[in-house]
Amino acid sequence: MKQYLYAANWKMYLPMQEEILFFTSHKQEFTELSTQASIALFPSYLSLPAIAQELQGSSIKLGAQDCSAAPLGAYTGQVSARSIAQVGCTYCIVGHSERRALGETNDIIAQKVTRLLENSVTPIVCIGETAQENAQGVTLTILEMQLEPILKVISDKPLVIAYEPVWAIGTNRTPTSTDIEKILLHIATMTAHHKNITLLYGGSIDKDNIKEFKNNAHIGGFLIGHASMDSQEFKKIVQS
Ligand code: PGA
């Protein structure tokens, strides 16, 4: 059976103490799920050390939600890929549309990927078109523009690409299975000569629509936002 990766993006939904409490009160459930699938949790930065401590020896993986494009230096407020590696993260999300909205470019995202690979952290690179781009029928062109700078900087180290249509994030809207098939086939073709690439889908995944996505042969896992903050819903997603 296919071993999917379920990446729980906790965004900034909770402040630190509540986020750590959310983790500790559901640790047992996450641990059980991690015997059935690959589970990775993406809390906000300040919760990482405490959750990493709790996860020592666990098969649950930890990830950060972003990193700096610079190695180290005078970058007030930023967090280096090296720190993310040191705290025990296996993964780091980069290029999420909520960060692209703040001005992050494809070149900056490629630099972040380089920093993460230098520190043996697996990047999860988010790509996806906006509602307007989708309506204009330029989705594949946009995805190519987002992917090309990334493919130039990677080797054969593990990399995850998450297709997340911007209009599907937090909206309870998802692409049709025909569109998903066409888009993921395009991404799979573009990345075919790179080993070690896993494709995820993200955007309004829930317990009711997950089965349809699992019919897609290219999908290796899911990036899950709001539904991952409901442990029962998350469990149903993983177990469906
Ligand atoms: P969502 O978020 O599941 O709440 O749509 C997904 C994401 O932003 O990664």
Side-chain angles (χ1 to χ4, degrees):
M1 214 171 87
K2 203 158 162 182
Q3 177 84 355
Y4 288 107
L5 169 63
Y6 297 88
N9 180 6
W10 292 351
K11 307 196 180 190
M12 198 181 72
Y13 283 128
L14 295 173
M16 182 188 70
Q17 286 177 359
E18 285 82 345
E19 191 173 47
I20 295 169
L21 190 62
F22 175 75
F23 168 76
T24 47
S25 39
H26 297 105
K27 183 178 171 185
Q28 189 56 36
E29 287 159 73
F30 293 133
T31 305
E32 274 166 38
L33 288 179
S34 74
T35 62
Q36 300 155 28
S38 295
I39 305 292
L41 306 177
F42 295 75
S44 50
Y45 282 138
L46 289 178
S47 304
L48 285 170
I51 296 180
Q53 188 77 25
E54 289 272 343
L55 285 181
Q56 275 184 16
S58 164
S59 50
I60 302 168
K61 302 282 191 289
L62 192 61
Q65 298 175 13
D66 188 33
C67 72
S68 174
L72 288 169
Y75 300 95
T76 304
Q78 298 200 27
V79 176
S80 68
R82 183 144 359 139
S83 291
I84 284 164
Q86 284 180 351
V87 81
C89 288
T90 304
Y91 297 104
C92 181
I93 297 170
V94 289
H96 192 283
S97 63
E98 287 154 13
R99 300 220 45 97
R100 289 180 190 263
L102 302 176
E104 198 159 293
T105 64
N106 292 322
D107 286 337
I108 293 173
I109 295 161
Q111 286 169 39
K112 293 184 175 190
V113 168
T114 304
R115 297 290 89 77
L116 290 167
L117 294 176
E118 283 166 359
N119 286 282
S120 303
V121 177
T122 301
I124 298 187
V125 184
C126 299
I127 59 172
E129 83 286 2
T130 62
Q132 199 187 8
E133 289 157 351
N134 185 282
Q136 287 167 349
V138 294
T139 297
L140 297 184
T141 314
I142 294 296
L143 298 180
E144 282 168 18
M145 281 164 53
Q146 292 174 338
L147 259 182
E148 269 158 15
I150 308 299
L151 296 180
K152 278 192 199 135
V153 298
I154 59 169
S155 53
D156 280 342
K157 288 190 179 167
L159 180 86
V160 181
I161 295 169
Y163 171 56
E164 295 210 304
V166 181
W167 53 269
I169 296 175
T171 58
N172 291 326
R173 292 172 58 212
T174 52
T176 62
S177 27
T178 317
D179 282 347
I180 279 285
E181 179 60 36
K182 186 177 85 182
I183 291 164
L184 287 188
L185 175 65
H186 191 75
I187 299 172
T189 309
M190 272 191 81
T191 56
H193 46 283
H194 290 276
K195 292 192 200 93
N196 273 327
I197 291 192
T198 305
L199 301 187
L200 308 186
Y201 169 81
S204 292
I205 282 290
D206 62 28
K207 63 179 178 5
D208 301 317
N209 61 28
I210 185 76
K211 275 213 176 82
E212 199 174 324
F213 286 98
K214 286 186 179 173
N215 287 331
N216 188 296
H218 303 292
I219 292 183
F222 303 92
L223 187 50
I224 305 156
H226 63 279
S228 71
M229 299 303 297
D230 175 336
S231 67
Q232 286 310 308
E233 174 102 15
F234 188 62
K235 187 173 170 184
K236 285 184 185 147
I237 290 172
V238 176
Q239 293 182 335
S240 73

